[in-house]
Amino acid sequence: MATAEAAHHDEHHGHPTGILRWITTTNHKDIGTLYLCFSLTMFLVGGLMALVIRAELFQPGLQVVDPHFFNQMTTMHALVMIFGAVMPGFVGFANWMIPMMIGAPDMALPRLNNWSFWILPFAFTMLLASLFTAGGGPASGWTLYAPLSIQGGMSVDMTIFAIHMMGVSSILGAINVIVTIFNMRAPGMALMKLPLFVWTWLITAFLLIAVMPVLAGAVTMLLTDRHFDTAFFNPAGGGDPVMFQHIFWFFGHPEVYILILPAFGIISEIIPTFSRKPLFGYTTMVLATAGIAFLSFIVWAHHMFTVGMPLAGELFFMYSTMLIAVPTGVKVFNWVSTMWRGSLTFETPMLFALAVVFLFTIGGFSGLMLAITPADFQYHDTYFVVAHFHYVLFSGSVMAMMGGAYYWLPKWTGHMYDERLGKIHFWTNTIFFNITFFPQHFLGLAGMPRRIPDYALQFTEFNVISSMGAFGLGLSQLIFVYVVIKCVRGGKKASDKVWDQPRGLEWTVPSPAPHHTFDTPPKIA
Amino acid sequence: MSSAPGSYYVPNPSAWPIIGSIGLFTLLLGFMLFLNEGAAGTWLMIVGAGIVALMMFGWFGTVISESEGGLYNDHVDMSFRMSMLWFIFSEVMFFAAFFGALFYTRTLAVPWLADTDLLWPNYEGGWPTAGPKGPLPIDADTAVSDPAAQFSTIGPWGIPVLNTFLLLASSVTVTIAHHALKHNARGNLILWLGVTLVLGFVFLYFQAVEYSHAYGELGLTLGTGVYGATFFMLTGFHGLHVTIGAIMLTVVWLRCLRGHFKPENHFAFEASAWYWHFVDTVWVGLFVFVYVF
Amino acid sequence: MLCSRIRTTAIAGLSAAAFGLMADVAVAAWEVNLQPPVSPIGRDILELHNLIMLICLIIFLVVFSVMFYSLYAHRKSKGHEASQFSHSTKAEVVWTIIPFLILVGMAIPSTATLIKMEDTSKADLTVKITGYQWKWQYEYPEHGVSFYSNLSTPRAQIEGIEPKGENYLLEVDNPLVIPTNKKVRFLLTANDVIHAWWIPQFGTKKDAIPGYINEMWTLVEKPGTYRGQCAELCGKDHGFMPIVVEAKAPEEFEAWLETEKQRQAKQTADLNRDWSKDELLAHGEKVYVNCVACHGAAGKGLPEAFPAIAGSPVATGPIAEHVSLVMNGKSGTAMQAFKNQLSDLDIAAVVTYQRNALGNSTGDVVQPSQVNSIR
Ligand code: HEA
Ligand code: HEA
Ligand code: CUA
Ligand SMILES: [Cu+2]
């Protein structure tokens, strides 16, 4: 239907080159690349902070940093990882893949797309600069609970404004994703034909638009409590510190699904390819994703079982949280069924996908245990929780992104990555990951609280193991960085299909994909 | 850069986004310094706001000229519409946080505090309240003698109810203007849109009067416990949104004067009108839950 | 019940499956499960924990045996051809319903335990616990006894100058004392930020929230000393805010209560006499432990965050301002009001100490009566 000269203008006009090209670009692939590079940088920054944490916890006693700085590291590590590494990482994947997967020339709102990205470096400048202010960075944990965060210095204000900026970025990015998916599909690309990655992102984007404004509201109240004399969280004025937690977690819980749903999407692309079989139960996968998203809005107070809620509230949040295991379980079972009687090979992306299914499930099960309210009274604010969320966040979200990167790198760069190094990265990463975080389950059960710079002697052994694992895990990421750079620089030419029998539109175009992939909408079978 | 039927307009590289980011950053940095008594803060804020305004002019200017230049087709128009609706949804959620705070404190926190005799022996709770340590509420709309000990609230049946009518009427007039636009009745369009604007600005004027009344005579300020906090944050953010909506409508009105928009193609008009209806709806919620109950 | 069997199985299963090398779980340092409970609720929680752990472990083994079997048997390298089936409504319904039923099975005992935990009625003794940055206050409202409980691990151990003791970081100057086999109700609140009071072996943890009172209860069956920690991030020394409880047989508890009452009566008497400078300095040095966390043992503070006492304009300026700062704190900063935590004597002593030690030498002496007149 289209006359195709539409998007071909790029080559003819004097387009900026060099750094200006990246700053002013409206191309979804350029912007995707920016997001991914940003995410990787932030991952290394956040990881270094984690290493400071692990170095201090290597031995009992205070050796490396003072407790105040330790708290700043904990806070910053989490903010940088969540808002700087994982969320932008997934937006990078969305930018690259969604237009390609649905047969569109670009994102629906290309200029806005540029802005969504370019807010982030400024937001993180603000956030990271707060470490250098008088009194140091924010030290109240990433959850910024009042009234502790009200005590902090100007760094807390910087954090609040950085969060406002990240919020704007996320909301604009999410709007763009939704509109692209609804409005830019090639003719014939019915909703129920969308690749699962697109579906998960559609739902993620909805979650983002629904909860980022709530976070903005929460930190705005914090700001006015700090500077404008309001009493939202001050009991003397009739407020309640716990109200901050309610508002925060109304954002916070859907947020954790924002961090995992696109990962599920990536896994659901990789597994069928290397099983040489269609995804099992496509429709239920979509429904399960929607179900998880719906439930995520009514479970938030499971982070707050110990605040002294009325019994009825505790029961409600326990039951609703437990329910999430059902749709998530459906996903796990469907992935396993996709492999069942397939014809399996184990290239690096597949290895990552398998590890994600396996390790995420461990994290999911510990999540389920946390949902059991009476037991959570023991687990809450211990390393058991820390172990839980690193299993879902690192071996869920981050490793899914790594798998996705290996999977699509050839399409992005036109070169094959180094398979041997990829496998080495996989094994070192996965082994060290488990050495780092598995012992933390035991630490938590034995009673080690989280967010402490020093601990009692009976926790020593597992902490030593965990810290050694963390350094190994850090080093193994250097392999990843090397593989990516090497692949961008050159390597064996990748074919259009790249893999044996991949499904999806992205494999029908050349590698590397042309600047505007689909000037003419493709024919959908 | 053709816009042949069926193709989708992909704009050229643009510098407006980065300018917007720099402006936003400067503005917020300035605000942060201002809050922490840094001298440079105020100036940075002004500069930042200026850059943001420049970006808005430039960016929207580009969009307007692209639109008037016929580069957009229905497909692009649809993208704009969808994004505006989702943007409004995000605004709804922003207000939801503050309404949530209001409901939470009223129905849970304050009664709990009133029950906590061990810590707050003489606190009765109830609504309005400024909390156990705050001033005591007296009848609505009565001037207080000692703001440290008393405060009074703004009753619903004075200016607030009038304001409700103003905004509801303005929603009607903007719809009339929309119909006029669809029937290409330019005179009516300009008239009714103008009336909408007047109603909006009168609303804002009344709000300002209310605020000075509250601060001056009623002893009701942002610092008047949770009542003051929720009252001013909700009505304040609403007022801010009315201001934004009014600015949007003003721009649209000026564009109408210049002969912009066509009966079948007038996204900017519709977007502003939707936004206006949204602001209106929020007010009705405010009127009911902040003033009446 | 069958729970102890479940517990053994769970521990064995877990350690075998996950950490094969750790067959010997007896060593405390390698503890991989919850601490041994000493209260009925603690026991219920442990059983619940073991039960759910076991269920999860079984599901896990089943799911991943299937997966690994498939990885092994359906490899391409073995020449396995892919079949192309893509759904099976029957299977999907089954694996939606079965997990749901399992969850219902887990929810039932959880609900029962939760209801028990939340029932604080008919308590034999009430203790009010208040969290401060960074110490606890314990009050027995029915007996008019109250005291503070501070970390007693010496700084030198923390900084690695001295070898660490057995109860490193889990020791306090004044532990909470409660009777065994009595239902003790705790009322929790906080003075500044949120803290959480937790003794793992009791199975109790609850947040202490400023302005609000939370309730929980325990019944300790075995006399002994039980240790826990503050479990909610409360600022710099969150990690140095231990909780120690001594559970004593009821008679011993009564005896302890009597001595404690007498000790506190003597303290009140002390407030009314005049104190010599040396006495004040000696006592002040002890009271100063309340301040060390922020202002440092040598009074040097922490640049930009906590001011130094040495040469401080307040600690060398007018006495009245100094006393009133210590009593009322400074709102919006971590400097809290010590009015309700410290007696007139304590405040007089610590102010005298700050003015004559830590690098200051104003020569001023502040008497408890002076403080009382400002109060
Ligand atoms: C990617 C992020 C992510 C994900 C996906 C999850 C998933 C889940 N989380 Fe997690 N969680 C976090 C990130 C995440 N979480 C973070 C960051 C925190 C800490 C925040 C902070 O305090 O700083 C946290 C904390 C947290 C708590 C609070 C703990 C505390 O502080 O006391 C709880 C409590 O209920 C919880 C529960 C769950 C549950 C039930 C799931 C479920 O979605 C898991 C469902 C999956 C499965 C159950 C496995 C697969 C299912 C089957 C194989 C089917 C069969 C199973 C059964 C029938 C049992 N999480
Ligand atoms: C996506 C989110 C994410 C990710 C990926 C990670 C990754 C890691 N996290 Fe993080 N973490 C959180 C989210 C995340 N974390 C959150 C939300 C919290 C809670 C915060 C709070 O309590 O408020 C937390 C808290 C947290 C704690 C508890 C702190 C405390 O309670 O005081 C610990 C402790 O071990 C920890 C460790 C680690 C480690 C070792 C990694 C590793 O995986 C990191 C690996 C990466 C690197 C190490 C960097 C790469 C390598 C280089 C830069 C090269 C140089 C390296 C060498 C020379 C060795 N994290
Ligand atoms: Cu008190 Cu942590
Ligand atoms: Cu959650």
Side-chain angles (χ1 to χ4, degrees):
Chain A
M1 62 176 278
T3 48
E5 76 270 40
H8 265 300
H9 53 272
D10 291 17
E11 290 75 17
H12 312 315
H13 291 264
H15 268 231
T17 49
I19 179 81
L20 269 184
R21 160 180 170 202
W22 295 103
I23 290 180
T24 61
T25 179
T26 49
N27 178 276
H28 72 101
K29 299 197 180 70
D30 286 355
I31 295 172
T33 306
L34 286 170
Y35 266 113
L36 290 171
C37 294
F38 181 79
S39 158
L40 185 58
T41 317
M42 285 297 139
F43 176 65
L44 298 181
V45 172
L48 277 178
M49 292 170 175
L51 292 182
V52 174
I53 296 174
R54 287 307 337 163
E56 179 55 58
L57 293 175
F58 184 55
Q59 289 281 304
L62 292 177
Q63 296 93 13
V64 186
V65 293
D66 68 273
H68 188 54
F69 189 72
F70 181 90
N71 289 344
Q72 296 171 33
M73 284 294 106
T74 300
T75 308
M76 281 294 207
H77 160 67
L79 289 172
V80 166
M81 282 298 193
I82 289 180
F83 292 99
V86 178
M87 291 169 72
F90 282 132
V91 184
F93 278 94
N95 258 295
W96 259 99
M97 300 319 299
I98 289 178
M100 259 200 247
M101 286 177 153
I102 64 174
D106 204 300
M107 296 290 278
L109 306 155
R111 258 187 308 242
L112 200 65
N113 199 13
N114 174 304
W115 201 31
S116 309
F117 172 77
W118 276 106
I119 291 174
L120 283 181
F122 291 90
F124 279 86
T125 307
M126 180 84 96
L127 182 68
L128 292 171
S130 75
L131 279 175
F132 304 100
T133 57
S140 50
W142 79 285
T143 47
L144 302 174
Y145 280 7
L148 184 60
S149 52
I150 292 181
Q151 280 183 354
M154 71 196 262
S155 62
V156 180
D157 301 323
M158 296 174 82
T159 309
I160 290 173
F161 289 137
I163 288 176
H164 279 139
M165 285 198 257
M166 295 167 204
V168 173
S169 160
S170 295
I171 292 168
L172 297 181
I175 291 177
N176 218 336
V177 167
I178 294 197
V179 176
T180 305
I181 297 174
F182 278 143
N183 197 33
M184 305 287 285
R185 277 168 291 137
M189 179 59 88
L191 280 178
M192 288 314 279
K193 280 189 187 165
L194 289 175
L196 215 75
F197 176 71
V198 180
W199 256 114
T200 51
W201 240 114
L202 180 66
I203 290 167
T204 303
F206 169 74
L207 290 179
L208 275 167
I209 301 180
V211 301
M212 289 309 285
V214 176
L215 175 65
V219 293
T220 304
M221 289 179 217
L222 208 57
L223 186 79
T224 57
D225 265 19
R226 283 169 54 80
H227 292 288
F228 297 99
D229 210 17
T230 56
F232 287 109
F233 312 128
N234 178 0
D240 185 351
V242 173
M243 183 166 81
F244 179 84
Q245 303 184 17
H246 280 290
I247 307 177
F248 181 89
W249 289 115
F250 184 83
F251 145 82
H253 189 82
E255 167 71 13
V256 307
Y257 294 108
I258 290 169
L259 299 171
I260 200 67
L261 292 182
F264 289 171
I266 294 177
I267 298 307
S268 307
E269 299 298 324
I270 296 178
I271 291 181
T273 297
F274 298 96
S275 306
R276 293 164 180 76
K277 236 183 104 213
L279 182 69
F280 183 88
Y282 174 90
T283 315
T284 31
M285 286 298 233
V286 172
L287 291 177
T289 313
I292 294 174
F294 168 75
L295 287 174
S296 74
F297 284 106
I298 55 166
V299 302
W300 74 87
H302 64 217
H303 296 271
M304 308 164 50
F305 284 140
T306 61
V307 299
M309 259 183 288
L311 179 65
E314 286 177 334
L315 288 174
F316 172 80
F317 286 109
M318 168 165 78
Y319 298 151
S320 58
T321 306
M322 290 172 76
L323 270 186
I324 299 191
V326 174
T328 319
V330 167
K331 288 189 159 272
V332 171
F333 301 138
N334 282 3
W335 288 323
V336 174
S337 310
T338 306
M339 292 174 230
W340 188 252
R341 304 210 352 247
S343 173
L344 301 166
T345 52
F346 303 100
E347 288 85 344
T348 311
M350 181 63 165
L351 289 177
F352 272 100
L354 292 173
V356 169
V357 175
F358 186 79
L359 297 173
F360 169 82
T361 304
I362 297 184
F365 281 135
S366 58
L368 187 76
M369 297 173 70
L370 292 167
I372 307 292
T373 313
D376 182 66
F377 278 92
Q378 285 291 20
Y379 310 141
H380 177 66
D381 264 331
T382 67
Y383 264 76
F384 192 78
V385 178
V386 177
H388 157 65
F389 64 70
H390 284 94
Y391 265 82
V392 283
L393 278 170
F394 190 95
S395 63
S397 314
V398 173
M399 280 172 61
M401 273 202 274
M402 290 172 174
Y406 285 109
Y407 185 53
W408 283 306
L409 260 178
K411 179 55 63 185
W412 298 338
T413 63
H415 309 297
M416 283 311 282
Y417 61 86
D418 185 330
E419 183 66 45
R420 202 176 57 92
L421 281 179
K423 288 215 167 84
I424 295 178
H425 171 228
F426 170 77
W427 286 110
T428 48
N429 173 76
T430 308
I431 290 168
F432 281 120
F433 166 79
N434 283 289
I435 298 180
T436 310
F437 293 108
F438 206 82
Q440 295 188 357
H441 291 109
F442 303 140
L443 283 173
L445 294 180
M448 175 167 164
R450 58 193 280 211
R451 296 166 165 177
I452 56 173
D454 192 6
Y455 47 84
L457 300 183
Q458 71 260 36
F459 305 128
T460 312
E461 285 77 3
F462 284 128
N463 269 303
V464 171
I465 297 178
S466 178
S467 288
M468 295 197 303
F471 279 85
L473 184 59
L475 285 177
S476 79
Q477 306 316 327
L478 297 179
I479 308 176
F480 179 59
V481 176
Y482 176 73
V483 175
V484 171
I485 294 176
K486 193 171 155 208
C487 179
V488 172
R489 289 268 182 93
K492 202 175 113 240
K493 184 92 192 62
S495 67
D496 294 359
K497 267 172 69 180
V498 183
W499 310 110
D500 196 15
Q501 297 171 23
R503 283 152 227 268
L505 284 177
E506 75 263 37
W507 309 109
T508 61
V509 300
S511 306
H515 203 49
H516 285 282
T517 322
F518 293 106
D519 295 337
T520 331
K523 293 264 175 308
I524 312 292
Chain B
M1 210 174 305
S2 99
S3 62
S7 71
Y8 195 87
Y9 173 72
V10 177
N12 271 331
S14 164
W16 294 120
I18 190 79
I19 295 175
S21 299
I22 295 172
L24 193 63
F25 180 79
T26 318
L27 178 65
L28 291 177
L29 189 71
F31 192 29
M32 189 277 297
L33 289 175
F34 166 78
L35 290 175
N36 292 285
E37 293 154 51
T42 323
W43 288 109
L44 268 183
M45 260 166 91
I46 294 171
V47 173
I51 303 178
V52 171
L54 178 79
M55 179 275 281
M56 300 268 221
F57 268 109
W59 191 329
F60 288 128
T62 316
V63 173
I64 291 168
S65 61
E66 282 169 354
S67 170
E68 293 296 311
L71 288 172
Y72 297 162
N73 53 17
D74 289 350
H75 203 173
V76 178
D77 197 54
M78 184 51 94
S79 289
F80 285 163
R81 284 154 185 276
M82 287 182 171
S83 9
M84 189 65 196
L85 288 176
W86 286 103
F87 172 68
I88 290 177
F89 174 58
S90 79
E91 293 271 39
V92 170
M93 293 310 290
F94 182 73
F95 276 98
F98 291 91
F99 274 108
L102 175 68
F103 297 146
Y104 180 91
T105 38
R106 276 188 73 161
T107 56
L108 298 172
V110 168
W112 284 337
L113 282 171
D115 271 353
T116 311
D117 287 339
L118 204 57
L119 298 178
W120 314 109
N122 301 316
Y123 181 57
E124 301 287 340
W127 192 264
T129 179
K133 288 282 180 70
L136 290 175
I138 56 175
D139 284 348
D141 292 317
T142 14
V144 300
S145 43
D146 174 13
Q150 294 179 330
F151 74 98
S152 156
T153 60
I154 295 173
W157 307 117
I159 288 183
V161 72
L162 190 64
N163 264 347
T164 310
F165 284 122
L166 286 178
L167 275 194
L168 286 178
S170 74
S171 256
V172 175
T173 55
V174 81
T175 308
I176 299 178
H178 190 197
H179 278 280
L181 174 53
K182 281 208 246 176
H183 294 103
N184 214 3
R186 307 292 301 194
N188 272 346
L189 163 65
I190 288 164
L191 171 68
W192 288 106
L193 194 53
V195 173
T196 310
L197 277 176
V198 172
L199 291 170
F201 284 113
V202 172
F203 171 92
L204 283 175
Y205 169 74
F206 279 155
Q207 277 296 81
V209 171
E210 287 282 60
Y211 274 17
S212 72
H213 180 52
Y215 267 76
E217 280 97 24
L218 304 182
L220 177 61
T221 70
L222 255 185
T224 312
V226 273
Y227 185 85
T230 49
F231 176 82
F232 280 104
M233 291 296 274
L234 274 164
T235 55
F237 271 118
H238 176 263
L240 184 71
H241 283 75
V242 176
T243 314
I244 295 170
I247 294 174
M248 282 162 54
L249 286 177
T250 310
V251 173
V252 168
W253 190 65
L254 293 173
R255 287 182 66 189
C256 289
L257 287 180
R258 287 221 185 159
H260 286 193
F261 304 124
K262 297 187 198 67
E264 65 286 353
N265 182 0
H266 46 261
F267 163 71
F269 182 100
E270 288 189 284
S272 316
W274 290 338
Y275 197 78
W276 196 251
H277 291 312
F278 149 71
V279 166
D280 212 20
T281 317
V282 173
W283 176 262
V284 174
L286 278 179
F287 182 67
V288 173
F289 292 112
V290 175
Y291 291 97
V292 179
F293 288 105
Chain C
M1 262 182 74
L2 81 168
C3 288
S4 67
R5 203 160 65 242
I6 292 177
R7 179 188 331 168
T8 342
T9 331
I11 297 178
L14 176 80
S15 35
F19 251 52
L21 63 157
M22 295 207 332
D24 182 20
V25 290
V27 195
W30 293 99
E31 192 54 77
V32 297
N33 211 347
L34 296 174
Q35 296 180 18
V38 291
S39 74
I41 290 293
R43 247 189 341 262
D44 282 3
I45 292 178
L46 179 62
E47 280 167 10
L48 202 55
H49 163 78
N50 287 336
L51 174 72
I52 286 162
M53 183 83 140
L54 186 70
I55 297 178
C56 288
L57 209 64
I58 293 172
I59 306 179
F60 192 82
L61 289 178
V62 170
V63 174
F64 287 100
S65 323
V66 174
M67 187 177 102
F68 279 106
Y69 172 76
S70 177
L71 296 188
Y72 170 78
H74 306 144
R75 277 170 299 161
K76 184 166 183 238
S77 55
K78 254 184 68 182
H80 195 271
E81 293 280 334
S83 55
Q84 294 296 318
F85 66 89
S86 71
H87 55 88
S88 152
T89 312
K90 209 196 288 164
E92 291 176 75
V93 169
V94 167
W95 65 52
T96 310
I97 291 180
I98 292 185
F100 180 77
L101 294 179
I102 298 177
L103 291 176
V104 173
M106 292 179 176
I108 293 167
S110 315
T111 306
T113 307
L114 192 61
I115 290 173
K116 267 193 263 173
M117 287 177 89
E118 294 294 334
D119 177 15
T120 51
S121 60
K122 303 206 193 69
D124 300 312
L125 174 73
T126 298
V127 178
K128 182 173 170 231
I129 302 177
T130 311
Y132 290 82
Q133 279 171 321
W134 291 279
K135 59 175 156 285
W136 296 98
Q137 181 189 22
Y138 299 114
E139 289 169 82
Y140 299 74
E142 294 138 350
H143 304 279
V145 167
S146 89
F147 55 88
Y148 289 86
S149 176
N150 277 290
L151 173 76
S152 62
T153 302
R155 228 37 240 172
Q157 287 192 13
I158 297 175
E159 275 150 20
I161 302 165
E162 275 174 18
K164 298 179 176 28
E166 188 196 354
N167 292 316
Y168 176 69
L169 291 190
L170 296 180
E171 49 200 352
V172 298
D173 49 5
N174 304 309
L176 173 68
V177 182
I178 56 170
T180 51
N181 290 312
K182 297 258 186 231
K183 183 166 181 179
V184 182
R185 181 170 70 133
F186 299 112
L187 301 178
L188 292 142
T189 186
N191 179 55
D192 30 47
V193 301
I194 304 178
H195 305 262
W197 198 87
W198 179 35
I199 295 281
Q201 288 183 279
F202 297 177
T204 56
K205 180 189 288 150
K206 202 143 246 184
D207 290 0
I209 298 165
Y212 291 79
I213 300 259
N214 268 336
E215 290 188 22
M216 77 181 168
W217 68 275
T218 192
L219 187 152
V220 181
E221 291 158 332
K222 256 186 17 202
T225 306
Y226 303 103
R227 299 170 198 276
Q229 272 173 281
C230 175
E232 177 67 58
L233 179 61
C234 51
K236 183 166 86 49
D237 279 358
H238 159 61
F240 304 89
M241 199 173 158
I243 299 159
V244 180
V245 177
E246 265 172 32
K248 291 188 199 284
E251 320 75 65
E252 288 175 48
F253 171 75
E254 292 300 332
W256 171 84
L257 205 58
E258 268 321 300
T259 37
E260 192 59 25
K261 273 185 199 157
Q262 280 161 17
R263 197 178 63 76
Q264 299 201 355
K266 181 173 165 296
Q267 271 183 359
T268 349
D270 281 347
L271 293 183
N272 301 324
R273 69 176 171 92
D274 262 1
W275 286 60
S276 77
K277 185 169 171 190
D278 286 344
E279 277 177 320
L280 284 170
L281 284 177
H283 186 60
E285 188 172 1
K286 280 195 218 122
V287 180
Y288 189 69
V289 295
N290 289 298
C291 328
V292 190
C294 297
H295 296 293
K300 293 262 187 315
L302 192 70
E304 306 290 0
F306 305 110
I309 297 304
S312 140
V314 176
T316 53
I319 294 181
E321 273 171 35
H322 189 174
V323 173
S324 109
L325 180 77
V326 178
M327 283 211 292
N328 302 314
K330 183 150 175 198
S331 63
T333 73
M335 181 63 203
Q336 56 197 267
F338 283 94
K339 188 157 65 189
N340 300 323
Q341 301 178 45
L342 300 182
S343 66
D344 292 346
L345 169 63
D346 293 342
I347 294 178
V350 77
V351 168
T352 309
Y353 178 71
Q354 287 192 331
R355 301 181 79 83
N356 295 296
L358 303 170
N360 297 332
S361 50
T362 56
D364 302 329
V365 176
V366 184
Q367 290 297 345
S369 51
Q370 254 172 299
V371 174
N372 194 271
S373 64
I374 299 179
R375 199 178 267 267

